Amino acid sequence: MLKIMPMSPNHFQKYMDFAVNEYATEKIAAGTWTAETAQKNSQLTYDRLLPNGLATPDNFFYSIIFKNSEIIGYIWFGTDNENASTAFIFDFEIYKTYQNSGFGSKTLELVSNEAKNMGFTSLGLHVFGSNSRAIHVYQKSGFNITDIKMQKQL
C-alpha cells in the first residue's frame, strides 16, 4: 500500500541537504547555471521559496510511504505564485530503488486528491526537458504542456 504522510522535521532536514545539491546539479546539466554559481544560486532559491523552512505558509511536504513504514521518496507542493487556485509541485522524487514500479503515477494520483481536498482546482509542475522518463509519467498522469522554454548553445 502506498500513501503520503506529512514530512517529519527530521526527514525535512535530510531532504533539504539533498535537494539543494540536486537542484544545483540539475541546473548545471540543463545549462542554466555554471558550476561556479550553481550551489549558491540553488541555496538562494531554496531560501527565497522557504524562508521559514518546513513552516513556510502555503507549502506542503510529504514523505511517500510504502508498506506503512518505508519512505520511498518525497513530494513538495505549494500554492502557485501566479495563480492561487493552482497547486504547484516544486519537487518530487521516487528513490531509484523504487522506480519503474508505478509509484510515481500512484503518488501523483494521491497528491492530486490531496490538493483537490485543499481547494485547489489544478496541479502544475516544471520538468527539465532532458527528463524524458518524468515527462512520460506526467503525461500519462494527465499533465499537459503549458509552456516550453528553449535554449541554443553558441
Side-chain angles (χ1 to χ4, degrees):
M1 182 174 131
L2 192 72
K3 62 184 176 181
I4 56 173
M5 300 278 297
M7 193 179 283
S8 71
N10 184 43
H11 188 217
F12 177 77
Q13 189 54 55
K14 290 176 185 174
Y15 162 73
M16 287 298 293
D17 293 342
F18 169 79
V20 170
N21 291 324
E22 182 69 12
Y23 189 56
T25 300
E26 289 174 343
K27 293 294 258 184
I28 292 167
T32 310
W33 294 340
T34 66
E36 295 77 29
T37 63
Q39 193 66 33
K40 180 180 178 184
N41 287 344
S42 183
Q43 188 64 60
L44 289 170
T45 298
Y46 274 85
D47 290 347
R48 179 180 49 80
L49 292 171
L50 299 169
N52 299 322
L54 186 59
T56 301
D58 301 320
N59 286 272
F60 312 98
F61 294 85
Y62 290 88
S63 297
I64 303 164
I65 310 291
F66 181 58
K67 295 184 180 177
N68 291 320
S69 63
E70 200 170 340
I71 297 175
I72 66 165
Y74 58 82
I75 193 160
W76 162 31
F77 70 93
T79 302
D80 187 300
N81 63 0
E82 295 177 358
N83 182 346
S85 67
T86 297
F88 188 85
I89 297 173
F90 289 95
D91 202 4
F92 173 35
E93 181 166 356
I94 300 293
Y95 300 142
K96 195 165 199 75
T97 306
Y98 301 97
Q99 292 177 1
N100 298 318
S101 299
F103 293 131
S105 297
K106 181 62 177 168
T107 299
L108 289 170
E109 180 183 325
L110 293 170
V111 168
S112 293
N113 290 335
E114 184 78 3
K116 186 175 182 177
N117 289 339
M118 291 176 165
F120 292 106
T121 59
S122 62
L123 186 59
L125 54 82
H126 168 272
V127 61
F128 287 101
S130 62
N131 195 343
S132 57
R133 168 197 226 120
I135 291 168
H136 171 75
V137 170
Y138 297 141
Q139 288 179 324
K140 188 173 83 173
S141 296
F143 288 83
N144 297 306
I145 295 171
T146 58
D147 299 287
I148 297 177
K149 181 178 180 180
M150 301 174 79
Q151 178 175 311
K152 176 181 175 181
Q153 292 298 320
L154 302 177

